[in-house]
């Protein structure tokens, strides 16, 4: 039976990065202030409760919405966006066979150098990957990470893409003697673009809207590959974008390249989304030719709230209503998204008796600290993310134990999953609790930089030089 890979993003807009519960342990000078602060915390804890019954309801509702999203455009809160990628992966003479809407099934010998650009937040990565064939798979890898200046996140399309093109140009200039490009060929790049787009082919897609703090008005409605291509031309870099993918699609491709049992990919980072393999005949809204394998990748975007922002809002309320930081509210506490999730993670992992890391981080960010003050937990966000994964497994019929069925591997990537240990542990334990004995066949696998590697693989599978290599 044919399958289509579906990228599940906005799936429970609350699915990940949604909440943080605060427990305050500090004797304030005024018992009245303490009572107010404690009441705020209790209210938050009640709202953040995630009993197992509620999580099962979330998973069930998500599976229902996924069915509706596959049936018709606008039929669900989940926008199941077609990725134009066949999920067929072959590991004998080729590594990936992809098919897009225009019936261009291709197979290649996975050898050569390819570039990838991974843009999904306030930083982007440029990668250079050597593909070494069946035996060596992914060989040499080189990368650089570049921070995007804040003013470019709200500037013009030309300004942003010119900055990216310049970074790519500088990175290309560092090619060493190991890099060999056949004469007369231009470099090829896979572009991971982790914002909502309406994809019209494997190498084109219109930006629907910005998220994650970006708002560049003149880019909305434009083909992001076209915008990047024009910027590359302006800096004089001879490079062609051959594949446009979301981060989860890249992670899914990279994961299945190494392990054919990978059925889904989930990103837990600044934002959250997921991709999974779906049966093509289960997608009524698909009107094109069926993929050769009968499988395709869909995607859906989940824009989760940042953990740090939830904490900031709670702290701000405690400062205003319970004088948590004294008689005045720290000015920086009123600035949206001032508290970043990595800072929150560091505070969450503080095990010192006097919570000195908590005090230090609050002082660094807000220039004022209740140093004896605060422990917090992102348990709700972690447990909801587990419910989201269960929803995907339910849609695929992999949520129960079946005799003779292979293991199902979920490839996960993203800074939240990789670096926030307590979040990761809570998510994994909750998923086991939800699955019961079926958890024996479900494997969570960290796919480090999977989206970037996957983009390079997809660039190779859609190379403009495939016919020359096959002849």
């Amino acid at each position: 039976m044919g399958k289509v890979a579906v990228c599940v993003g906005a799936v429970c807009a609350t699915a990940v990065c949604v909440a943080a519960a605060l427990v305050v342990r500090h004797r304030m000078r005024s018992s009245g202030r303490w009572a107010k602060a404690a009441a705020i915390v209790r209210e938050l804890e009640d709202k953040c409760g995630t009993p197992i019954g509620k999580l099962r309801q979330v998973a069930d509702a998500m599976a229902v919405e996924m069915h509706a999203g596959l049936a018709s455009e606008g039929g669900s809160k989940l926008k199941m966006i077609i990725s134009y990628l066949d999920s067929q992966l072959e590991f004998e003479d080729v590594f990936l066979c992809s098919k897009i809407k225009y019936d261009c099934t291709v197979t290649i010998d996975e050898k050569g150098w390819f570039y990838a650009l991974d843009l999904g937040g306030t930083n982007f990565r440029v990668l250079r990957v050597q593909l070494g064939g069946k035996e060596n798979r992914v060989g040499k890898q080189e990368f650089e990470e570049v921070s995007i200046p804040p003013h470019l996140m709200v500037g013009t399309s030309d300004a942003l893409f010119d900055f990216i093109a310049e970074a790519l140009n500088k990175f290309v200039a560092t090619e060493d003697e190991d890099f060999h490009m056949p004469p007369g060929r231009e470099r090829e790049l896979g572009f991971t673009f982790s914002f909502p787009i309406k994809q019209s082919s494997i190498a084109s897609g219109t930006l629907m809207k910005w998220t994650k703090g970006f708002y560049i008005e003149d880019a909305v409605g434009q083909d992001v590959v076209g915008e990047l291509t024009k910027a590359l031309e302006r800096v004089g870099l001879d490079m062609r974008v051959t594949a446009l993918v979301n981060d989860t699609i890249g992670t899914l491709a990279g994961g299945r390249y190494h392990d054919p049992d990978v059925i889904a990919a989930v990103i837990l980072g600044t934002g959250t989304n997921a991709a999974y393999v779906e049966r093509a005949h289960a997608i009524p809204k698909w009107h094109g030719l069926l993929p050769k394998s009968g499988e395709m990748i869909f995607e859906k975007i989940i824009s989760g709230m940042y953990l740090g922002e939830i904490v900031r809002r709670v702290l701000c309320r405690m400062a205003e209503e319970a004088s948590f930081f004294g008689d005045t509210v720290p000015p920086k506490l009123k600035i949206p998204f001032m508290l970043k999730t990595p800072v929150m993670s560091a505070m969450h992992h503080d095990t010192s008796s006097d919570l000195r890391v908590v005090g230090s981080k609050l002082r660094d960010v807000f220039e004022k600290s209740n140093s004896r003050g605060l422990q917090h937990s992102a348990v709700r966000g972690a447990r909801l993310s587990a419910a989201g994964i269960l929803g995907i497994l339910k849609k695929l019929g992999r949520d129960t134990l079946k005799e003779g069925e292979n293991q199902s591997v979920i490839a996960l990537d993203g800074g939240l999953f990789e670096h926030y240990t307590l979040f990761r542990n809570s998510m994994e334990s909750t998923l086991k609790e939800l699955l019961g004995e079926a958890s024996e066949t479900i494997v969570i696998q960290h796919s480090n930089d999977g989206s970037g590697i996957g983009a390079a693989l997809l660039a190779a599978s859609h190379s403009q030089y495939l016919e020359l290599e096959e002849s």
Side-chain angles (χ1 to χ4, degrees):
M1 298 176 71
K3 299 179 181 177
V4 177
V6 174
C7 184
V8 182
V11 136
C12 274
T14 57
V16 185
C17 302
V18 178
L22 297 177
V23 179
V24 180
R25 296 177 179 173
H26 179 62
R27 294 182 179 177
M28 296 182 170
R29 294 179 181 176
S30 167
S31 60
R33 291 180 179 180
W34 164 249
K36 290 180 181 178
I40 292 171
V41 172
R42 284 195 299 271
E43 178 186 345
L44 181 65
E45 288 176 335
D46 290 342
K47 291 181 177 179
C48 288
T50 52
I52 204 71
K54 180 181 289 186
L55 294 179
R56 293 192 187 282
Q57 291 176 358
V58 169
D60 290 342
M62 177 174 160
V64 170
E65 289 294 323
M66 290 169 71
H67 278 283
L70 294 176
S72 63
E73 294 293 349
S76 168
K77 297 176 182 177
L78 306 185
K79 297 180 180 179
M80 312 292 275
I81 304 172
I82 297 173
S83 71
Y84 295 90
L85 290 177
D86 185 334
S87 72
Q88 179 178 346
L89 300 173
E90 302 174 354
F91 296 97
E92 296 179 358
D93 298 322
V94 298
F95 74 86
L96 178 65
C97 174
S98 294
K99 175 154 182 155
I100 63 174
K101 182 177 180 180
Y102 304 109
D103 195 24
C104 359
T105 302
V106 295
T107 61
I108 66 170
D109 180 354
E110 68 281 19
K111 292 183 179 181
W113 286 92
F114 295 88
Y115 279 83
L117 165 64
D118 191 346
L119 173 62
T122 54
N123 299 324
F124 66 87
R125 289 163 62 89
V126 289
L127 302 90
R128 184 164 45 236
V129 180
Q130 183 183 32
L131 302 180
K134 177 183 177 182
E135 298 301 324
N136 297 322
R137 297 294 176 90
V138 177
K140 188 174 181 180
Q141 303 175 42
E142 300 170 338
F143 73 91
E144 287 184 5
E145 186 164 326
V146 182
S147 295
I148 300 176
H151 71 276
L152 292 181
M153 296 170 62
V154 293
T156 66
S157 180
D158 283 354
L160 175 64
F161 284 101
D162 282 352
F163 180 79
I164 293 171
E166 287 286 359
L168 264 170
N169 202 23
K170 291 178 182 177
F171 184 61
V172 167
T174 65
E175 294 173 351
D176 59 22
E177 63 275 4
D178 292 333
F179 183 91
H180 299 290
M181 179 66 66
R185 293 195 180 188
E186 61 182 337
R187 297 169 182 82
E188 294 181 306
L189 174 136
F191 184 13
T192 299
F193 187 77
S194 302
F195 299 89
I197 58 171
K198 183 69 173 179
Q199 197 152 353
S200 51
S201 74
I202 188 59
S204 63
T206 301
L207 177 63
M208 299 167 66
K209 66 175 182 178
W210 289 104
T211 57
K212 308 174 190 175
F214 283 77
Y215 185 70
I216 303 173
E217 189 172 6
D218 66 343
V220 177
Q222 300 299 315
D223 178 8
V224 293
V225 173
E227 294 297 288
L228 177 59
T229 299
K230 289 185 290 185
L232 294 174
E233 292 173 351
R234 286 193 290 268
V235 301
L237 179 57
D238 187 21
M239 180 176 285
R240 180 188 180 96
V241 179
T242 60
L244 172 67
V245 298
N246 185 270
D247 52 1
T248 48
I249 300 300
T251 300
L252 182 60
R256 286 174 70 88
Y257 175 59
H258 292 289
D259 186 346
D261 288 332
V262 171
I263 62 167
V266 177
I267 300 295
L268 300 176
T270 303
T272 304
N273 51 336
Y276 74 92
V277 179
E278 178 64 275
R279 295 164 298 177
H281 77 264
I283 310 173
K285 73 177 182 180
W286 171 254
H287 300 299
L289 295 174
L290 288 178
K292 180 179 179 181
S293 70
E295 301 179 342
M296 181 178 291
I297 298 171
F298 268 74
E299 87 180 83
K300 163 184 169 350
I301 308 302
I302 297 178
S303 298
M305 293 295 291
Y306 305 147
L307 293 172
E309 173 62 6
I310 296 295
V311 173
R312 184 200 66 81
R313 293 187 181 197
V314 174
L315 287 174
C316 191
R317 183 180 170 190
M318 293 171 72
E320 292 172 344
E321 298 181 18
S323 301
F324 187 66
F325 291 96
D327 294 332
T328 60
V329 178
K332 289 189 176 181
L333 188 59
K334 296 183 177 182
I335 301 175
F337 300 98
M338 189 67 184
L339 183 61
K340 305 300 183 183
T341 298
V343 175
M344 179 183 161
S345 175
M347 292 193 291
H348 194 173
H349 289 89
D350 183 7
T351 58
S352 61
S353 59
D354 60 354
L355 299 177
R356 65 176 65 92
V357 174
V358 171
S360 174
K361 293 296 183 182
L362 290 177
R363 192 177 300 108
D364 290 343
V365 176
F366 301 122
E367 298 177 353
K368 199 166 186 179
S369 172
N370 183 330
S371 61
R372 295 178 60 104
L374 153 161
Q375 283 185 330
H376 45 290
S377 169
V379 170
R380 179 177 182 256
R383 288 173 66 83
L384 283 170
S385 67
I389 293 173
L390 176 62
I392 297 174
L393 293 172
K394 288 178 73 69
K395 177 64 178 67
L396 296 175
R398 301 293 185 97
D399 59 319
T400 57
L401 194 61
K402 297 182 178 66
E403 185 176 353
E405 189 171 72
N406 293 336
Q407 69 175 12
S408 300
V409 179
I410 310 293
L412 275 102
D413 198 11
L416 186 61
F417 177 79
E418 182 178 1
H419 301 300
Y420 205 148
T421 306
L422 296 175
F423 184 101
R424 179 175 68 248
N425 292 345
S426 178
M427 186 210 72
E428 292 180 345
S429 64
T430 302
L431 185 59
K432 288 182 180 179
E433 183 181 4
L434 288 166
L435 287 168
E437 63 178 8
S439 64
E440 298 174 9
T441 63
I442 306 299
V443 177
I444 299 296
Q445 186 178 89
H446 181 212
S447 179
N448 189 29
D449 198 24
S451 61
I453 299 299
L457 292 170
L458 292 171
S461 75
H462 293 84
S463 170
Q464 61 187 311
Y465 302 110
L466 290 178
E467 293 184 2
L468 294 176
E469 294 174 354
E470 292 171 354
S471 61

